Amino acid sequence: MSLPRSLFLPLGVVLLGAALSACGGGGASPSKSPAAASAKREGTAARLESDPRIGVYTSIPWGFSTSSYWIEGPTGLIVIDTQFLLSASTELIEKAESITGKKVQLAIVLHPNPDKFNGASTFQARGIRVVTSAQVLAQIPEVHASRSASFYERYKPDYPKEQPKLESFGDKNGELSAGGVTVKTHVLGPGCSAAHVVVEFEGHVFVGDLVGNGTHAWLEIGETEAWLARLDEIAALKPKFVHPGRGATGGPELLEWESKYLRSVLEEVNKENPTMPPPAGAIERVKDRIMKAYPGLDYEVFFDVGIEEVWRKQAQKRAAGTK
């Protein structure tokens, strides 16, 4: 949910807000307050059977059904992403510590999305460091300002009014240690956001919204080719487990599926020989073909908020004679 560089942002925000207010499967209705919705439901948390050192917390649908993870070391926990709702960030910490009997010692934010960084102050109030790359950190002020204007009134007091303040671990690949465990941090370029971190730990990769299992892709900034390059970079790590921003953990097949989906979007857009402004009905035809090719995916709005930007960038490349 990174901030786009186009005039499509207002429509994206409107559509996303509508999706949240109408979110099915237990999400709050437009007439209910976020606080009331959160009070009646809890997120879920559990260790992974395939590797009990890894745990996952998933928020209620009102918080995008967002997944955060923990890695258990001998003396403590590293958490990956801090959640969209402040209540969810509290619940994430409490459930992880209750399940493991160990304290969270470090949190890592993967990219500049509110559902990744909003809960930072909750962690920091407990003395837990929250870190990300310099590239991700640079994007947070603009993203927070935009999303707060759209979401703060809807979610208060469960949405941070003040911009979350994270620490930078630097602008290059490296390692971070806490709780007796060391992870590798890979600093990557644009994809679904303007900058990304991927965390690697003994065959596991934590990739945020670069991969969704059972969801449409968040296409808002239109950097589809760059996103495909990010997936290739992750595949080159040869992971055994891929932990997505939403949906169940899987293996390398999740990277393959996401790549196929993004290539399908590009193919369907380019079938229309895109120009600006889009001809009447052209984007609707693209959407219709994608929805038929990928039925049953959650968060159709993720596609809606970005397809015009994908179209615009492909039209620019076509006009310039590039691919």
Side-chain angles (χ1 to χ4, degrees):
M1 280 164 270
S2 55
L3 187 66
R5 298 290 185 263
S6 75
L7 295 178
F8 191 52
L9 174 62
L11 177 57
V13 169
V14 169
L15 288 170
L16 180 58
L20 285 171
S21 64
C23 187
S29 71
S31 62
K32 295 180 180 178
S33 72
S38 297
K40 292 181 179 179
R41 291 180 59 86
E42 289 188 354
T44 61
R47 297 179 187 268
L48 294 184
E49 291 185 6
S50 53
D51 188 342
R53 297 174 299 173
I54 310 300
V56 58
Y57 167 87
T58 304
S59 70
I60 61 175
W62 184 250
F64 288 102
S65 301
T66 300
S67 294
S68 293
Y69 299 89
W70 69 80
I71 303 169
E72 182 178 359
T75 60
L77 310 176
I78 296 176
V79 164
I80 311 295
D81 288 329
T82 68
Q83 285 290 320
F84 181 76
L85 302 173
L86 298 178
S87 59
S89 63
T90 298
E91 192 174 76
L92 159 61
I93 296 169
E94 291 177 351
K95 286 184 179 290
E97 292 184 343
S98 175
I99 289 170
T100 63
K102 297 172 183 175
K103 294 293 186 181
V104 178
Q105 296 188 5
L106 177 70
I108 305 171
V109 168
L110 298 184
H111 50 111
N113 292 1
D115 57 344
K116 312 308 176 195
F117 64 69
N118 267 2
S121 63
T122 304
F123 284 73
Q124 292 161 338
R126 297 174 182 237
I128 302 166
R129 293 178 62 212
V130 183
V131 303
T132 190
S133 70
Q135 294 90 330
V136 170
L137 189 64
Q139 298 292 321
I140 288 176
E142 192 176 7
V143 175
H144 175 72
S146 170
R147 294 309 190 228
S148 293
S150 302
F151 292 146
Y152 178 72
E153 289 299 321
R154 177 186 296 273
Y155 284 98
K156 69 179 184 182
D158 213 6
Y159 194 99
K161 186 173 184 178
E162 302 299 323
Q163 177 195 316
K165 306 291 187 182
L166 284 65
E167 297 180 40
S168 168
F169 62 70
D171 60 0
K172 295 179 175 60
N173 296 352
E175 294 184 345
L176 292 170
S177 298
V181 64
T182 298
V183 301
K184 296 179 180 179
T185 53
H186 299 272
V187 176
L188 305 184
C192 62
S193 293
H196 292 267
V197 174
V198 166
V199 171
E200 181 185 11
F201 171 70
E202 296 186 6
H204 297 266
V205 289
F206 302 85
V207 299
D209 296 332
L210 285 169
V211 175
N213 190 350
T215 70
H216 285 282
W218 181 266
L219 299 171
E220 189 180 11
I221 66 173
E223 295 286 355
T224 318
E225 288 95 341
W227 192 336
L228 286 164
R230 304 292 80 81
L231 295 173
D232 287 343
E233 290 164 353
I234 297 167
L237 301 175
K238 300 188 181 302
K240 183 178 179 181
F241 300 100
V242 176
H243 303 286
R246 288 176 185 81
T249 288
E253 73 279 356
L254 293 186
L255 301 173
E256 296 169 5
W257 186 95
E258 195 74 36
S259 294
K260 180 180 178 183
Y261 174 99
L262 294 174
R263 289 193 178 94
S264 295
V265 171
L266 288 176
E267 179 181 349
E268 296 303 336
V269 167
N270 287 313
K271 278 182 183 178
E272 298 286 339
N273 298 314
T275 57
M276 291 299 293
I283 288 179
E284 289 75 12
R285 290 193 295 272
V286 171
K287 178 177 179 178
D288 182 65
R289 293 195 294 267
I290 291 295
M291 296 304 136
K292 288 179 178 176
Y294 294 93
L297 297 183
D298 290 334
Y299 293 106
E300 184 177 324
V301 68
F302 289 2
F303 178 92
D304 291 337
V305 298
I307 188 57
E308 287 193 13
E309 184 65 7
V310 174
W311 179 284
R312 185 183 70 82
K313 290 191 173 178
Q314 293 305 305
Q316 286 180 334
K317 291 178 180 180
R318 184 167 180 267
T322 60
K323 293 184 179 180

